[in-house]
Amino acid sequence: MKEHYDATLEWLKNYPELHTLISLSLLILGAWIANWIVKRILVRGLYRVLRSTTVGQDKALADSHVVRRLANIVPAMILASGIKVVPHLPAAAVTVVNNVCSAFIILTIALAIGGVLNLVNTLYQRRPNAHLKPVKGYIQVVTIVIYAIAAILMVATLIDRSPLILLSGLGAMAAVLMLIFQDTLLSLVASVQISSSDIVRVGDWIEMPQLNADGDVIDIALHTVKVQNWDKTITTIPTKRFISDPFKNWRGMQESGGRRIKRSIYLDQTSVRFLSPDEIAHLQRFLLLGQYLSSKQSELLSWNTELAEAAQEPANTRRVTNLGTFRAYVEHYLRQHPGINQNMTQIVRQLQPTADGLPLELYCFTNTVAWVPYEGYQSDIFDHLLAILPEFGLRVFQHPSGADMRELRPVLDAGN
């Protein structure tokens, strides 16, 4: 066998081109076989072993492709080592192939490290409190640094020079790099401030009207923050805008357990008047007003008694008004309502009268922050108050409509 091998070598020496071609073919075939063995046997076997463990059953590991990328190093190393023993190849060709294989190995390692970092981020996001301190921005920074180092090493390997030569030239390119990566640097600073100051978290409801953003934060990355608006559209906001631009974060409301109701009923001011004794007796039937009217009448009787003869003139006395009684009714109604948070501020107040009527504002908080129940409580409260207003002799103010004019026309025609 050895004699045939030696004879073949002696014969191939007479044909150097053929010798080189056969050697290259054998080298490429060996690299392909090594790649097949590593990926089809070793890598698959490794995945089968891992599937029997908790780690291997995690889909995130397979999606990262770390092992498969590292497997590409084997054929590259065979090519880089074997090219040196291929006969009759020019030294320049050997150097080029060796440098390209080395650069490919560096790229493969960098991509594998990037996959590991993405895997770390994926596993971290599964933690219950991961949204409080997102690390995606920091991992992206580390990934950029690794890719930058890999790029420098690849260029140095391809030109067959020391990386220190390239690094020494970076000082002169610092201004250019600052200009190119200014957005990245600003985003990095903004990400650090957002995280350290706890300005925004994943899951927060934010409003940024200048960018048409109103919804929940679904992702915080190095350069961008994604907000899913209530109409299910996605708004992408540069991270640095959260430092430079004002915005509203509703997290405080969500954590407080109560959502504010601040809405007014506009009353017709001409319907405000004093209550007669019969009307007071009528309103005393209301469970929410019984104690209020009794204490109020005792207070007014004591006050008016001190007026002596001046009390003969009604204008000198204090009397119960329908508006004041209605305001007291609303206060007691809110204190009894099961949907109102009794540990937070409750105010029923009159605002400045306007041409559209007298605003009676309700300022209180529900005991839920969920949108649908909140709107339900708010609607129920105002449904009730609008329906019970006539009991107090009050009217809601609204501008005349076409129906009002049709109802008024027969009266005008009869007057004519």
Side-chain angles (χ1 to χ4, degrees), residues 180-199:
I180 294 175
F181 294 104
Q182 61 175 336
D183 290 338
T184 300
L185 295 175
L186 291 173
S187 298
L188 173 60
V189 173
S191 297
V192 172
Q193 290 181 333
I194 286 174
S195 179
S196 60
S197 302
D198 199 18
I199 297 175

Side-chain angles (χ1 to χ4, degrees), residues 327-342:
R327 184 162 51 84
Y329 176 84
V330 176
E331 290 176 353
H332 287 82
Y333 180 77
L334 293 178
R335 293 195 188 103
Q336 300 296 324
H337 198 285
I340 298 300
N341 193 320
Q342 303 301 324

